[in-house]
Amino acid sequence: MKRIPLVKMVHINKAFPGVKANQDINFRVYPGEIHALLGENGAGKSTLMSILAGLYQPDSGFIEVKDKAVRFHSPRSALSQGIGMVYQHFRLIPNFTVAENIVLGAPDAAFLLHKQDIEQEISALSDQFGLEVDPAAIVGQLSLGEQQRVEIIKMLYRGCEVLIMDEPTTVLTPREVKELFKIMRRMSDQGKAIILITHKLHEVMEIADYVTVLRRGKVVGEDRIENLNEKTLTNMMVAHEIEYSQVDRAKPSGKLVLKLQDVQVPGDQDYMAVRNVNLALHAGEIVAIAGVAGNGQKELVETIAGLRFPSRGTISLDGEEIQTLPVKERLRRGICMIPEDRIGMGLVPNLSVMDNAILRNYNHETMNSGFLLNYKKISTYTWKLVQDYNIYLSSIHHPVNYLSGGNLQKLLLAREIDQNPRVLIASYPVRGLDVMAAESVYQILLQEREKGTAILLVLEDLDDIFRIADRVAIMYEGQIEEVLEVNQTDIDEIGALMLGADKIGVRYVETQAN
Amino acid sequence: MLRPKLIKRESESLLARIAVPILSIILAFVCGWIFLYFSGFDPGESYLRMYQGAFGSRYAISETLVKAIPLALCGLGVSLAFRMKLWNIGAEGQFHMGALAASGVALSMGDLSAWMLLPLMFLAGFAAGGIWGAIPGALRAYWDVNETITSLMLNYVAILWVDFLVFGPWKDPSSMGFPLTPRFSVNGYLPTLGTSRVHIGLILALIIAIVVYIVLQYTRWGYEVRVVGESKVAARYAGMNVARHILLVMLISGGIAGLAGMIEVSGITHRLQQGISPGYGYTAIIVAWLARLNPFTILLVAFLFGALLVGGFSVQTFGISFSIVLVLQGAVLFFLLGGEIFLKNRLVWVREEVR
Amino acid sequence: MGSSAVIALLAAAIVAGTSILYAALGELITERSGILNLGVEGMMLVGAVLGFIFTSNTGNHWYGLLAAMVGGALMALIHAFISITLRGNQVVSGLALTMFGTGISGFLGKSYQGMPIVDPFRPVVIPFLGDIPVLGPIFFRHDVLVYISLLLAFVLWYILFRTHWGLSIRAVGENPAAADAVGINVSRVRYLCTILGGILAGLGGAYISLAYAPSWQENMTAGRGWIAVALVIFALWNPLRGILGSYLFGGIEALTFRLQTAGISISSFFLAMLPYLLTILVLVLVTIRLRQEAGAPAALGVAYDREER
């Protein structure tokens, strides 16, 4: 019997201003298949799947579902054909309950909300696929892993047969990843097709049945997983061999630069975002903060930079307490930060590259003549940064938004490093960047480390932590329980700590399970 | 089947930037044409009379200029607040307070020399308008209270204050019941240019436009205002005091509108009276928006809208309500807002494949 | 003040608050869907003038009411098109709408200025309920539009919080991307809510010219549209709290009116300032208590562009 593909995408093209995101792509998925869509950031995976989910319209090409041509004008029409997507940034409404989020927009819903009926239906689905979640809980109060389960149930509730998952593991701890994979396997066993968008090879090797590899908007290879290995996949994914940089841990770190003692920071709502954190940072070392996003990392780094103030505890730089000093004073003393929010906090949207280059030192005498800004000097200064850090741009007078992600990040790095920092903080510095751009960011950071700067990174990818960091601090619910030497720990230990489990306790449970 | 589709442009279209405002004005007048036609007026003749009323004679042009001055100043005032994405729609009230305070000075210190009196009136007008702008500013800066509604509510309060004074304590006993104050002493009159009614407020508006431009583009403070306007988070990250900037900008924004009020009583009416503004403060919002907040364009657009006001007054004798001016203004703004999408997008017709 | 005076005052508060209630309910639904329409004042004026003109010419206030609703809807449609389809600036579009509405109403109503109305809405005493002491005269001896407005507040509350429609509306206002992802037509929901807002604002305007102060005067809404916008914040986007707020403002208006006729020595100009000052005060108190507009739809005033990256 000839197998009929659930979904077939033929000759798909899609362009955005300045990028050809998808070029002549053919793609098919069969029932019960876990199909990995593999590629670097910016390879066009998400665009392709957003087209399949009805969010974007292709410039040309067509889609067939079960051999019948379809045209999707909106996610609604895709859903009606049984195609649903779990986006990387969840599409959930935080102040609604789980049940409300799930029934939202359900096509055949009754006019009135029958809470009990709905909750029962959800429980049934949860049991069928092993997706544990409380239907009455408020979504905003759930962990990211739980929110993801809500998203999956939402799609199953609508009878989706094809489930697209966009980088589902980035927000999960290693343990949660294992659980997710179990759920995915269970869904595929029941005939659902699952498309896993990812850039992580080991995930593909672990879970996928079939792989399609994208590079720069084109399909560069596809095959069953049995015929592939990590090496062949890597070769397909990146055009040329990449020399991954690696921190040299042999070099001893210098003297103590930054010290946090018993720091407590209130969050935006009524809770403590950072609790009793103790942390020491030495010259010439990179300390990474690991943890699931939303566990106080953001508040912690903002407190060090002076954007928030601790309600208790001290922060000292070279032995001097700085926790009450304003941003400007901390900058002057050499605390620099690359925020998570590149455009919005780190860079000012709609202002020119030049205006952005001086955001942190516009007050400096070299940028001014009298009470006027000296744009001649500013222009020279900006060009110097652009050249020193290989930033590609057409004009320093253009709004900064015109730059690509990698160049934005380089501009940010250039500007902060030019302040000669004693302490450099960077949150998710390579998020969304392709391999080459990410590598150059890491190289700049490693050079800074060589110069003796104390570096604090918030990272999401554990692989990166093992390559780049000297030590790793695991943050969970606002606390840092352990700071470990990277070369004396492993993924399992970090993973357990990310879940907040007491180290010894977890090991005990695991031995019991075996 | 052909259907329209918007495609994002890689950069803003210069052509659209010029064409959209011009087309907006034209389209608004086309709408007005239809509106007048169905109301039983001869649109062609109405427009012709409006044109003649605004530009038809030396006097007409001077009247247009006279109206353009307060519009330009109020427009400059609100544009400053708009830069910071502060929706100060209280220019009307700030204008009234400026007029009120300047009149207070003129009426109580009329025997001072012009060299003393005019600067005092100037300061009083700026201060009163500034305070009127700073109230919503402070509420916004320190408690995050919506400045749109508060600034608008204060318009009504300011107008009622003026009404109270001109109907009550400051009323001219010889006014035969009309709600107006006595005339100022001549020392409180703003000098005119030649023999026309056009006064040196015109030059003042020009100077303020230049100052606003230089301050915003080339000073550190202007840089800070631009940064705060685009992103408050980025401003805090750069170590700027966001709340203080909000307060200060609202104060100056209100102050400039207050100056417009001072100039109006000192240059034109020479007294405080009911209804000193035919909605300058509101029209100024359109002026600023149409000019895309550029100070010099504001001067130009203010002239056009001054003409619209004068033209609107002149067709009243023709039986057409002055309200037609508001209709046209609203329509211009609609088209302008609607047209802005073409700055960042291109409209193309795509052929829908039927499969 | 005797008890009969208090009863009369409370009854007058309800009547004075009804036009604001209509407008506030309309704006509330509009804002729940994520659209900020600051043109309430303009839509009310158009409603008031059309209500008056059509009632005058047909002799039937129901035609007037219908015309007011259609007028409000058309006005809202302009705002909807600009802010939803063309993704224009909602604040400025609302201001334009106010200007436009003020102009249109002044223009159309010019020859009706000061004319008496033919067929105003008159109070109806509800049998039995109207005879209950105290409560009867306060609540049950009004014109039919008062009862409709109250009923409407309850109906809207029920729809918003107990039905699938309400869930969709709130979802669109909170996170349009999430609503879009589950197949809700964001634009359609926003269009419908904005137009409903316009219909209710038109009704609120017509209530003034056909029932509260049966006549047409230029600018006769006197800022009630703006008060309605402020009331939505006071009501925390909940229709039932909207009733409370509207009657509070109605009460202030009724009180100032009474004080003026009672010959109180405070200048009428200062009494007239009260509603505006009260609006500011209420706004300040609510905002300070709630911190950063808790309860406001998260996507309020933000256009939704599906392909925004």
Side-chain angles (χ1 to χ4, degrees):
Chain A
M1 196 185 88
K2 184 178 169 269
R3 281 206 308 164
I4 298 174
L6 258 177
V7 167
K8 206 160 121 190
M9 300 178 81
V10 186
H11 300 308
I12 299 289
N13 282 289
K14 175 79 183 175
F16 288 105
V19 246
K20 282 187 183 146
N22 288 162
Q23 294 174 63
D24 197 34
I25 290 185
N26 294 308
F27 180 83
R28 62 184 69 196
V29 193
Y30 292 93
E33 179 180 82
I34 296 181
H35 191 138
L37 187 57
L38 180 69
E40 281 308 324
N41 283 318
K45 302 166 299 197
S46 294
T47 304
L48 183 69
M49 287 302 114
S50 295
I51 291 171
L52 185 55
L55 197 71
Y56 298 161
Q57 316 254 310
D59 296 338
S60 67
F62 61 92
I63 300 171
E64 284 177 7
V65 175
K66 294 181 190 159
D67 271 355
K68 261 180 41 204
V70 289
R71 174 167 282 278
F72 297 152
H73 292 286
S74 67
R76 160 168 290 226
S77 38
L79 279 169
S80 71
Q81 295 290 335
I83 299 167
M85 178 153 170
V86 174
Y87 296 90
Q88 196 174 359
H89 302 284
F90 300 145
R91 306 277 168 117
L92 292 170
I93 292 151
N95 51 6
F96 280 17
T97 65
V98 169
E100 284 175 326
N101 264 291
I102 291 171
V103 298
L104 180 66
D108 49 352
F111 181 64
L112 297 182
L113 293 168
H114 298 292
K115 223 171 127 189
Q116 267 137 15
D117 296 1
I118 294 164
E119 290 183 0
Q120 253 168 25
E121 267 182 274
I122 292 170
S123 304
L125 271 176
S126 311
D127 292 346
Q128 190 187 344
F129 295 99
L131 291 149
E132 228 174 285
V133 71
D134 171 18
I138 300 287
V139 162
Q141 292 167 1
L142 299 181
S143 74
L144 291 170
E146 288 170 306
Q147 292 189 16
Q148 189 174 58
R149 290 204 283 271
V150 178
E151 283 277 37
I152 297 172
I153 299 177
K154 203 165 90 180
M155 293 305 150
L156 295 173
Y157 184 83
R158 284 165 173 70
C160 283
E161 290 180 71
V162 180
L163 198 71
I164 307 163
M165 307 203 58
D166 191 357
E167 303 273 4
T169 60
T170 32
V171 297
L172 303 179
T173 62
R175 175 175 295 255
E176 287 174 315
V177 171
K178 284 200 180 102
E179 225 166 289
L180 174 71
F181 283 176
K182 251 185 247 164
I183 294 165
M184 284 168 61
R185 191 40 78 193
R186 203 154 159 182
M187 291 192 289
S188 79
D189 287 346
Q190 300 192 31
K192 311 262 179 207
I194 292 158
I195 303 171
L196 172 72
I197 304 178
T198 183
H199 67 275
K200 293 178 189 162
L201 283 169
H202 56 85
E203 285 181 1
V204 175
M205 298 311 296
E206 189 176 341
I207 188 82
D209 302 318
Y210 195 91
V211 191
T212 299
V213 186
L214 288 190
R215 190 173 73 219
R216 296 196 174 169
K218 290 184 186 147
V219 175
V220 289
E222 56 178 308
D223 208 339
R224 295 199 55 78
I225 195 77
E226 298 88 50
N227 309 331
L228 296 162
N229 59 40
E230 294 214 12
K231 183 108 179 59
T232 48
L233 283 174
T234 316
N235 288 344
M236 280 188 229
M237 246 166 87
V238 281
H240 37 88
E241 223 39 49
I242 297 240
E243 193 75 30
Y244 286 105
S245 44
Q246 172 89 31
V247 69
D248 171 23
R249 296 196 184 96
K251 189 175 164 254
S253 54
K255 69 176 188 91
L256 180 70
V257 178
L258 188 79
K259 191 171 179 201
L260 278 72
Q261 248 176 330
D262 208 19
V263 169
Q264 188 151 310
V265 185
D268 294 331
Q269 265 94 40
D270 293 328
Y271 65 97
M272 278 297 155
V274 176
R275 304 179 207 189
N276 311 330
V277 162
N278 293 294
L279 190 67
L281 214 54
H282 301 87
E285 76 164 344
I286 295 182
V287 174
I289 297 180
V292 176
N295 273 299
Q297 298 95 322
K298 182 169 178 240
E299 288 84 355
L300 179 67
V301 296
E302 288 187 1
T303 307
I304 300 173
L307 291 163
R308 290 171 190 265
F309 295 94
S311 57
R312 217 179 64 199
T314 57
I315 303 173
S316 29
L317 180 70
D318 298 328
E320 250 180 278
E321 286 193 14
I322 55 159
Q323 71 270 11
T324 55
L325 297 179
V327 177
K328 272 186 188 167
E329 185 52 32
R330 291 193 211 192
L331 252 176
R332 205 184 59 76
R333 294 179 185 217
I335 296 186
C336 291
M337 174 171 84
I338 289 127
E340 176 180 346
D341 212 354
R342 265 169 235 163
I343 286 214
M345 185 188 267
L347 297 166
V348 192
N350 299 322
L351 291 193
S352 69
V353 174
M354 235 159 60
D355 278 340
N356 270 292
I358 56 163
L359 185 65
R360 299 269 268 175
N361 60 354
Y362 67 96
N363 266 320
H364 200 267
E365 60 210 18
T366 53
M367 301 297 160
N368 290 279
S369 43
F371 64 97
L372 294 182
L373 284 170
N374 187 331
Y375 271 100
K376 214 171 144 190
K377 284 188 203 160
I378 293 169
S379 164
T380 325
Y381 172 74
T382 310
W383 273 118
K384 189 181 117 310
L385 290 186
V386 167
Q387 276 156 4
D388 289 356
Y389 289 85
N390 293 320
I391 304 169
Y392 292 98
L393 44 73
S394 47
S395 162
I396 57 169
H397 300 281
H398 275 172
V400 74
N401 327 24
Y402 290 4
L403 269 59
S404 73
N407 285 312
L408 283 175
Q409 191 66 306
K410 279 197 266 181
L411 176 63
L412 255 171
L413 270 167
R415 186 186 71 200
E416 294 301 300
I417 288 174
D418 195 71
Q419 317 292 314
N420 287 323
R422 302 269 299 122
V423 177
L424 181 64
I425 308 162
S427 292
Y428 307 109
V430 300
R431 184 183 273 178
L433 305 187
D434 61 41
V435 205
M436 297 299 286
E439 253 337 286
S440 54
V441 166
Y442 279 144
Q443 260 155 30
I444 295 171
L445 287 171
L446 287 174
Q447 278 164 22
E448 239 350 75
R449 175 181 175 273
E450 288 301 309
K451 279 198 253 162
T453 310
I455 300 177
L456 184 65
L457 300 181
V458 181
L459 293 175
E460 51 195 345
D461 197 327
L462 292 183
D463 297 345
D464 287 2
I465 292 179
F466 281 95
R467 279 205 292 125
I468 296 301
D470 294 291
R471 291 189 297 145
V472 55
I474 295 101
M475 208 161 175
Y476 177 74
E477 289 191 341
Q479 290 177 306
I480 292 180
E481 286 293 345
E482 299 263 357
V483 184
L484 306 166
E485 295 287 336
V486 170
N487 50 15
Q488 285 165 26
T489 183
D490 54 31
I491 292 232
D492 286 336
E493 188 176 22
I494 295 178
L497 286 166
M498 278 166 79
L499 275 173
D502 172 57
K503 218 164 63 178
I504 301 155
V506 168
R507 286 205 174 131
Y508 175 72
V509 174
E510 272 175 353
T511 32
Q512 290 288 300
N514 290 337
Chain B
M1 199 182 85
L2 281 175
R3 63 184 182 86
K5 194 176 175 205
L6 288 170
I7 307 262
K8 286 206 165 55
R9 292 178 197 271
E10 289 186 30
S11 60
E12 268 197 18
S13 152
L14 190 67
L15 177 70
R17 243 164 90 171
I18 298 163
V20 166
I22 293 171
L23 273 175
S24 299
I25 293 176
I26 294 172
L27 284 172
F29 274 89
V30 170
C31 280
W33 183 289
I34 298 166
F35 188 68
L36 282 166
Y37 179 80
F38 282 106
S39 310
F41 296 102
D42 178 347
E45 186 168 354
S46 310
Y47 281 163
L48 189 67
R49 289 206 182 203
M50 281 176 92
Y51 175 80
Q52 281 168 346
F55 302 112
S57 62
R58 197 169 162 265
Y59 173 75
I61 292 173
S62 79
E63 275 309 284
T64 294
L65 275 174
V66 161
K67 295 278 179 289
I69 296 167
L71 278 181
L73 284 170
C74 290
L76 288 169
V78 298
S79 75
L80 205 57
F82 284 7
R83 276 270 175 173
M84 292 256 293
K85 300 214 168 71
L86 292 169
W87 302 108
N88 173 19
I89 51 175
E92 186 75 1
Q94 291 141 17
F95 176 95
H96 273 85
M97 288 319 272
L100 184 154
S103 302
V105 169
L107 292 172
S108 58
M109 296 178 237
D111 40 3
L112 290 178
S113 72
W115 287 109
M116 285 295 289
L117 188 56
L118 283 175
L120 272 179
M121 287 168 71
F122 189 94
L123 283 178
F126 187 88
I131 290 169
W132 222 241
I135 296 170
L139 292 177
R140 175 59 203 257
Y142 297 105
W143 290 299
D144 215 18
V145 178
N146 184 320
E147 77 283 0
T148 321
I149 298 170
T150 48
S151 64
L152 186 103
M153 288 290 134
L154 286 174
N155 286 348
Y156 289 100
V157 178
I159 293 169
L160 284 164
W161 263 108
V162 170
D163 285 356
F164 164 70
L165 291 171
V166 297
F167 275 102
W170 288 3
K171 188 170 164 180
D172 183 359
S174 61
S175 73
M176 296 184 300
F178 286 108
L180 32 87
T181 66
R183 271 180 186 283
F184 303 159
S185 85
V186 189
N187 293 344
Y189 289 15
L190 218 53
T192 53
L193 300 174
T195 54
S196 69
R197 290 223 298 164
V198 182
H199 48 79
I200 59 160
L202 188 67
I203 294 159
L204 197 75
L206 193 67
I207 294 171
I208 290 182
I210 294 170
V211 171
V212 166
Y213 180 80
I214 290 176
V215 166
L216 277 181
Q217 288 307 319
Y218 296 107
T219 67
R220 238 174 304 167
W221 188 76
Y223 175 76
E224 291 178 351
V225 167
R226 284 184 289 139
V227 171
V228 177
E230 287 297 339
S231 168
K232 297 194 172 45
V233 192
R236 259 205 312 276
Y237 166 73
M240 301 169 187
N241 185 335
V242 174
R244 202 179 57 202
H245 278 99
I246 291 177
L247 180 59
L248 208 57
V249 161
M250 281 297 280
L251 186 131
I252 296 172
S253 168
I256 298 177
L259 270 187
M262 173 267 165
I263 283 170
E264 191 70 3
V265 288
S266 166
I268 299 295
T269 60
H270 301 146
R271 55 167 35 126
L272 189 64
Q273 62 189 41
Q274 198 189 16
I276 39 167
S277 158
Y280 288 135
Y282 297 111
T283 307
I285 296 165
I286 315 179
V287 170
W289 199 258
L290 201 63
R292 306 195 93 214
L293 312 184
N294 178 308
F296 301 117
T297 322
I298 285 176
L299 296 181
L300 178 73
V301 178
F303 180 71
L304 292 179
F305 276 76
L308 184 62
L309 286 181
V310 175
F313 283 126
S314 70
V315 289
Q316 274 183 306
T317 51
F318 190 45
I320 297 177
S321 164
F322 178 68
S323 304
I324 187 70
V325 172
L326 285 175
V327 175
L328 289 171
Q329 287 181 358
V332 170
L333 208 41
F334 284 143
F335 285 113
L336 192 67
L337 283 167
E340 276 179 3
I341 197 163
F342 299 109
L343 300 182
K344 293 198 170 119
N345 294 273
R346 228 151 18 99
L347 185 71
V348 290
W349 292 89
V350 290
R351 191 169 292 281
E352 187 103 312
E353 306 123 274
V354 186
R355 200 174 288 275
Chain C
M1 223 180 332
S3 66
S4 65
V6 173
I7 289 171
L9 179 70
L10 291 177
I14 290 180
V15 177
T18 296
S19 80
I20 301 179
L21 179 56
Y22 274 114
L25 288 176
E27 180 66 10
L28 194 148
I29 287 292
T30 307
E31 290 191 13
R32 273 286 184 181
S33 79
I35 297 293
L36 178 69
N37 187 349
L38 295 181
V40 184
E41 182 84 0
M43 299 190 292
M44 282 179 88
L45 278 167
V46 166
V49 80
L50 289 181
F52 190 88
I53 292 173
F54 276 76
T55 306
S56 294
N57 290 322
T58 61
N60 183 335
H61 55 226
W62 293 107
Y63 286 122
L65 211 59
L66 187 68
M69 286 159 65
V70 172
L74 288 176
M75 292 282 285
L77 188 62
I78 301 177
H79 182 70
F81 183 67
I82 289 178
S83 39
I84 302 167
T85 305
L86 299 179
R87 302 192 287 268
N89 185 304
Q90 296 180 20
V91 174
V92 184
S93 170
L95 294 176
L97 200 63
T98 289
M99 254 175 236
F100 192 69
T102 311
I104 291 246
S105 64
F107 191 86
L108 296 177
K110 198 171 175 233
S111 50
Y112 292 86
Q113 190 96 359
M115 216 197 232
I117 187 101
V118 226
D119 182 27
F121 281 90
R122 294 208 166 79
V124 186
V125 179
I126 297 188
F128 308 117
L129 291 175
D131 297 329
I132 302 172
V134 186
L135 294 181
I138 295 177
F139 289 108
F140 302 111
R141 292 184 190 178
H142 298 298
D143 58 85
V144 62
L145 291 178
V146 171
Y147 307 131
I148 295 177
S149 70
L150 271 171
L151 192 68
L152 194 70
F154 282 96
V155 169
L156 288 180
W157 177 84
Y158 193 80
I159 289 180
L160 269 182
F161 298 108
R162 291 288 180 272
T163 70
H164 270 276
W165 286 1
L167 199 62
S168 299
I169 293 172
R170 287 186 287 138
V172 167
E174 288 291 336
N175 186 345
D180 192 19
V182 293
I184 294 172
N185 187 331
V186 174
S187 293
R188 188 166 69 198
V189 170
R190 288 187 160 177
Y191 261 96
L192 289 176
C193 289
T194 308
I195 289 170
L196 180 62
I199 290 173
L200 294 183
L203 257 175
Y207 185 80
I208 302 174
S209 67
L210 298 180
Y212 179 59
S215 63
W216 165 251
Q217 299 291 331
E218 231 176 88
N219 273 324
M220 74 186 301
T221 49
R224 283 185 184 82
W226 291 100
I227 293 176
V229 174
L231 254 185
V232 176
I233 300 172
F234 170 80
L236 303 178
W237 294 267
N238 179 338
L240 298 184
R241 281 187 60 131
I243 301 179
L244 199 77
S246 303
Y247 292 167
L248 175 69
F249 276 94
I252 290 291
E253 206 176 308
L255 186 69
T256 54
F257 187 70
R258 250 140 243 270
L259 289 176
Q260 269 171 47
T261 47
I264 297 286
S265 60
I266 307 169
S267 163
S268 61
F269 296 108
F270 293 120
L271 289 175
M273 286 176 197
L274 276 180
Y276 309 118
L277 294 174
L278 184 73
T279 307
I280 296 176
L281 185 72
V282 161
L283 213 52
V284 172
L285 291 179
V286 172
T287 320
I288 291 178
R289 270 199 57 183
L290 289 171
R291 285 287 156 87
Q292 50 194 337
E293 301 188 23
L300 182 59
V302 185
Y304 176 58
D305 179 0
R306 184 184 283 163
E307 298 206 357
E308 192 67 63
R309 304 210 302 169

